[in-house]
Amino acid sequence: MVGSGSWGTALVKILTDNQQSLNWWIRNPVIREHLQRKSHNPQYLSSVNFDVRRLSLTGDLQQLISDSDCIIIAIPSAYIEQTFEGLPAGIFEGKKVLSAVKGILPGRNLLLNDWLHQQFGFEIERYFTVMGPCHAEEIAAEKLSYLTFSGFSVTDTLEIASNFSTEYLNTITNNDIYGVQYAAVLKNIYALGAGMAHGLEYGDNFLSVFIANCADEMAGFLWKAGISHMEVGIHEDSKSVDDKKSANYAASVYLGDLLVTCYSLFSRNRTFGNMIGKGYSVNAAKLEMNMVAEGYKGSYSLYLINQQLKADMPIADMVYQILWQNVNVREGFKRLEGLMV
């Protein structure tokens, strides 16, 4: 495990609850020492107690990667480059990578798999993702949640997912590596907008219309990016022994994650947007938050990516303009009001 924020800590809880042992890279030595002594993370999900006998805590990232078969990356996208800077070019050879990153690398405008390929020659066949909808706080409380694991190899994806299946967590698999990652970026951007709407004191009626239009806009972008299965109510014939439907756009990892991120009080992106709607400056909102709102930098990266794809994205564009072009938030939403269907 690379990362000790709320999401990384939640994933470690799931694995250790399943009697898995793992190496855990934590940059801050104070957190490592506290966790070893007190059996909990002092900064995130501090109510979760770990069996530290199952954890090998380290601050040496190169050694952790060398000692591990599968590396789970659960740090904000903005810190990826500095975290992996200086590692040998072949360090990921023979390894699997499971990404829990819900963002695009800012400045590069790349998803993690593309950056790993560019920097380390890492092949996408050994790359997997784990996406929501799943708030870390509900994992800590053991409220039933769902995670979707994506990878090109059905066998390997199922094997990885099996390590996370518990009484409070159901796992789903698909092969849509690009689609689930782009959906995770987009839902954070739209949650910023939902928070802004709440801060501006729009009601539930408007918010439902806003999110419905966000869902349509997201589907349009994914189509432009070459992602299929965007139809709702249509499923491929399934020969699965568990009789699960095949995933489409209404599945949990697409529409479900969008809904919970826009509505939930646990959503840091919604919280960030709410502050903007209430009149905070971007810098003031960033100082107020003690966690990273991925949608902030994601809105900038996605705006640049869409200059090539040219999907129709008035909502995402307006969030970008409010956060990066100093468009007044109230005026921006007034413009959006007439575009909703």
Side-chain angles (χ1 to χ4, degrees), residues 167-185:
E167 289 184 354
Y168 59 85
L169 189 79
N170 287 344
T171 61
I172 303 160
T173 61
N174 72 19
N175 63 358
D176 187 19
I177 290 174
Y178 279 92
V180 298
Q181 290 183 101
Y182 277 130
V185 174

Side-chain angles (χ1 to χ4, degrees), residues 4-6 9-10 34-35 38-50 136-137 140:
S4 58
S6 58
T9 302
H34 184 101
L35 212 158
K38 300 285 190 177
S39 303
H40 70 267
N41 186 332
Q43 287 192 330
Y44 300 102
L45 306 187
S46 56
S47 64
V48 174
N49 285 301
F50 295 98
E137 294 81 1

Side-chain angles (χ1 to χ4, degrees), residues 104 182-194 196 210-222 258 262 294-307 309-327 332-333 335-336 339-340:
I104 297 174
Y182 277 130
V185 174
L186 287 160
K187 59 95 177 179
N188 284 334
I189 295 168
Y190 295 133
L192 289 169
M196 291 175 191
F210 176 80
I211 296 172
N213 279 263
C214 289
D216 182 68
E217 188 173 294
M218 177 193 283
F221 176 90
L222 294 175
L258 171 66
C262 287
E294 285 274 20
Y296 169 61
K297 290 190 175 179
S299 65
Y300 186 87
S301 293
L302 196 91
Y303 173 80
L304 295 178
I305 290 170
N306 197 42
Q307 298 308 294
L309 290 178
K310 301 191 182 305
D312 184 23
M313 305 191 77
I315 300 172
D317 286 349
M318 186 56 66
V319 171
Y320 158 77
Q321 290 174 35
I322 291 166
L323 295 176
W324 294 92
Q325 298 293 324
N326 296 315
V327 168
F333 269 76
R335 292 182 214 170
L336 286 177
L339 300 177
M340 301 292 164

Side-chain angles (χ1 to χ4, degrees), residues 224-254:
K224 284 279 190 176
I227 312 303
S228 58
H229 58 262
M230 288 296 102
E231 305 89 349
V232 173
I234 298 174
H235 302 272
E236 297 174 2
D237 290 337
S238 176
K239 297 176 182 170
S240 170
V241 293
D242 57 16
D243 292 326
K244 281 184 182 177
K245 296 178 180 178
S246 64
N248 63 15
Y249 183 61
S252 58
V253 74
Y254 307 102

